[in-house]
Amino acid sequence: MDIVVKGRKTEVPERFRRHVADKLKLDRIQKFDGKVTSLDVEVSKEHNPRQADRSDRVEITLRHRGPVVRAEASAADPYGALDLAVEKLEARLRRQHDKRKCRRGKGRIPASEVGAAVRDAAVINDEGELGAGPPEPEEPAVPVRRAGSIVVQGDGPLVVREKTHTAAPMSLEQALEEMELVGHDFYLFVDIDTKLPSVVYRRHGYDYGVIHLEGDPLAEQAPVGAGAVLGG
C-alpha cells in the first residue's frame, strides 16, 4: 500500500514527502489495523498573516474495511502539523483497536434478523437464496434548473452539498466511537434500540449530547391554510 501525499493550493517538496514516509510507518499502523487499503496525506497553507502560528495544515485520511479514520492538525510549519496529526491518528487507531478486542462479537446482528433490523434490506427466502428487497417507489419528475455551477431541483432551496450513506443500526457507544474516529463534532446514526434517526454531538469540555428524531403523528395531517387559522 502506497502513501499518497498531495497539496491543496500549495507545492509539496520532495523532502516533506520523504519525511511523511518516515513518519507514517505502515508496519506500525497495520499493527493496529491490518486491513488498511489507502492512506492519503493532504497539505494546505493559510496565507493570512494573523494565523502564522497555524498556517500549515495537514490532514491524514485512512481508509480500510471499517469506517474512515481521519486526523488533522495545524502548526507554524508542515512538519509540526504532520507530527501532531500522526499522534492523533495513532491515538484513534489505538483506541479503536482496544475497543475491538474488548467488544469482539458484541452487538452483531445474525443474518436471519437483518431483514427485520435494517429497513429495505435484501431478504433470504425459504431456500436460503438471497433475494432483492422491496422495490423502490418511482419518484415523480422534478424540474431542474442551474444557478451558476449549482443544480437546483424544483423551487429550491439551493443544495450546496448532499451525501447519502448506508449504515446498520448501532448503539450510542458505537456512535460516539465513530464520531471520534472521523474527528467531527457530530455524528448521524440509527439507534439500534429505538430504531430512530439520532445525532450525537460534542458539548463543552468532555460532555456529549444526543438528539433522537421521532415522527409527529399530527404532522401527518394536511396543514391548515393561514386563512382558516385566522378565521378568514
Side-chain angles (χ1 to χ4, degrees):
M1 182 197 67
D2 296 329
I3 301 176
V4 178
V5 182
K6 56 185 177 181
R8 185 172 61 183
K9 298 181 180 180
T10 185
E11 294 291 334
V12 181
E14 187 61 32
R15 176 188 172 191
F16 182 77
R17 295 179 185 272
R18 292 195 299 267
H19 183 71
V20 170
D22 293 337
K23 192 71 177 178
L24 285 171
K25 298 294 185 181
L26 293 182
D27 55 346
R28 180 177 177 85
I29 293 177
Q30 291 176 343
K31 182 178 67 175
F32 297 117
D33 191 334
K35 301 177 181 179
V36 178
T37 58
S38 67
L39 190 62
D40 298 335
V41 178
E42 183 178 271
V43 184
S44 59
K45 190 173 185 64
E46 174 60 54
H47 298 283
N48 187 347
R50 297 182 179 179
Q51 300 183 9
D53 58 334
R54 47 191 176 93
S55 59
D56 291 273
R57 179 172 171 271
V58 172
E59 179 180 306
I60 305 174
T61 303
L62 183 148
R63 292 180 174 85
H64 57 156
R65 295 184 182 179
V68 173
V69 182
R70 182 176 292 110
E72 57 185 62
S74 298
D77 61 83
Y79 296 91
L82 177 66
D83 292 345
L84 294 174
V86 170
E87 290 180 6
K88 291 182 180 180
L89 179 70
E90 291 185 351
R92 289 169 183 170
L93 288 175
R94 186 180 300 107
R95 184 162 58 247
Q96 181 190 40
H97 178 72
D98 294 342
K99 287 186 177 181
R100 190 186 299 117
K101 289 196 304 183
C102 295
R103 291 166 32 191
R104 189 176 300 275
K106 180 181 178 181
R108 294 184 179 179
I109 302 175
S112 59
E113 301 178 6
V114 171
V118 182
R119 182 181 178 184
D120 296 339
V123 296
I124 300 178
N125 57 27
D126 296 336
E127 299 179 357
E129 299 176 345
L130 185 64
E136 297 182 358
E138 296 184 1
E139 298 183 357
V142 178
V144 178
R145 60 187 175 89
R146 298 188 67 87
S149 61
I150 301 176
V151 177
V152 182
Q153 296 184 348
D155 296 330
L158 298 179
V159 179
V160 179
R161 189 176 186 182
E162 180 179 353
K163 288 186 177 180
T164 301
H165 298 276
T166 56
M170 64 179 64
S171 65
L172 176 59
E173 181 183 1
Q174 289 174 298
L176 287 170
E177 178 182 348
E178 301 287 352
M179 183 180 71
E180 292 294 340
L181 288 176
V182 297
H184 289 173
D185 292 328
F186 68 93
Y187 190 81
L188 175 64
F189 69 104
V190 177
D191 192 290
I192 195 171
D193 296 322
T194 64
K195 303 300 186 295
L196 295 177
S198 307
V199 174
V200 62
Y201 61 95
R202 194 187 314 276
R203 293 172 56 86
H204 299 293
Y206 296 96
D207 294 334
Y208 298 94
V210 60
I211 299 174
H212 300 288
L213 185 63
E214 185 176 13
D216 185 355
L218 298 179
E220 298 178 358
Q221 303 178 2
V224 182
V229 175
L230 298 175

